[in-house]
Amino acid sequence: MPRPLGELEDAVMTRVWRWNRPVTVREVLEDLQKERAIAYTTVMTVMDNLRQKGWVRRDQEGRAYRYEAVSTRAAYSAALMNEAWSASDNPAAALVDFFGMMSPEQVDVLRDALRVVQLNGVHLDAPDGGAGGQER
């Protein structure tokens, strides 16, 4: 399961995910510098650390590397939610509490997501108890 990204790792990955294309350290640096003072070597180190952790892959282009995300922000968020839920000693109660914290807008998003899951033929009442159940 993924470890939550650190603050600077998240700032870098946010750009990689948002741009949704291979990026250079220089591009990320220039965008980060709009918000904070940061050195090229710091961004380069963070991006290499993200590569070593499996969040990005890189290809050499001339003397520079281009980095691109291995998965989406949505997949990252889902893995974090799954990890937190799995760590609960009472997963049903954790879900009830989580749903109770949702705003009306988030509840609408949840309903939409459930419709998509059902349209894709996933049984939410599958014997294994998960959305990864049998297809219709």
Side-chain angles (χ1 to χ4, degrees):
M1 288 296 175
R3 228 177 18 95
L5 296 171
E7 179 193 351
L8 190 50
E9 290 174 327
D10 186 68
V12 168
M13 285 306 300
T14 294
R15 284 152 179 84
V16 174
W17 281 319
R18 184 179 51 210
W19 296 337
N20 195 29
R21 61 174 173 77
V23 300
T24 64
V25 171
R26 176 74 52 203
E27 290 175 300
V28 174
L29 170 73
E30 289 173 358
D31 201 59
L32 284 169
Q33 286 178 331
K34 295 175 185 175
E35 301 171 1
R36 64 175 93 188
I38 190 165
Y40 180 92
T41 54
T42 301
V43 177
M44 183 176 62
T45 299
V46 168
M47 293 183 80
D48 191 57
N49 289 344
L50 289 165
R51 182 188 61 80
Q52 290 177 24
K53 292 177 181 180
W55 289 108
V56 295
R57 66 177 154 256
R58 73 180 185 192
D59 292 310
Q60 194 160 6
E61 185 177 288
R63 294 179 55 203
Y65 286 107
R66 289 205 171 266
Y67 295 80
E68 72 180 308
V70 170
S71 66
T72 64
R73 168 141 341 246
Y76 166 71
S77 297
L80 289 178
M81 288 188 291
N82 186 56
E83 183 176 1
W85 184 47
S86 297
S88 173
D89 61 347
N90 188 341
L95 278 178
V96 170
D97 288 346
F98 178 66
F99 295 153
M101 294 177 193
M102 291 179 146
S103 69
E105 294 81 14
Q106 290 171 318
V107 171
D108 288 342
V109 170
L110 176 63
R111 284 190 182 110
D112 290 344
L114 287 171
R115 278 192 283 279
V116 169
V117 167
Q118 289 169 340
L119 286 173
N120 287 327
V122 177
H123 289 276
L124 294 179
D125 58 348
D128 68 357
Q134 304 166 1
E135 293 194 17
R136 291 182 184 171

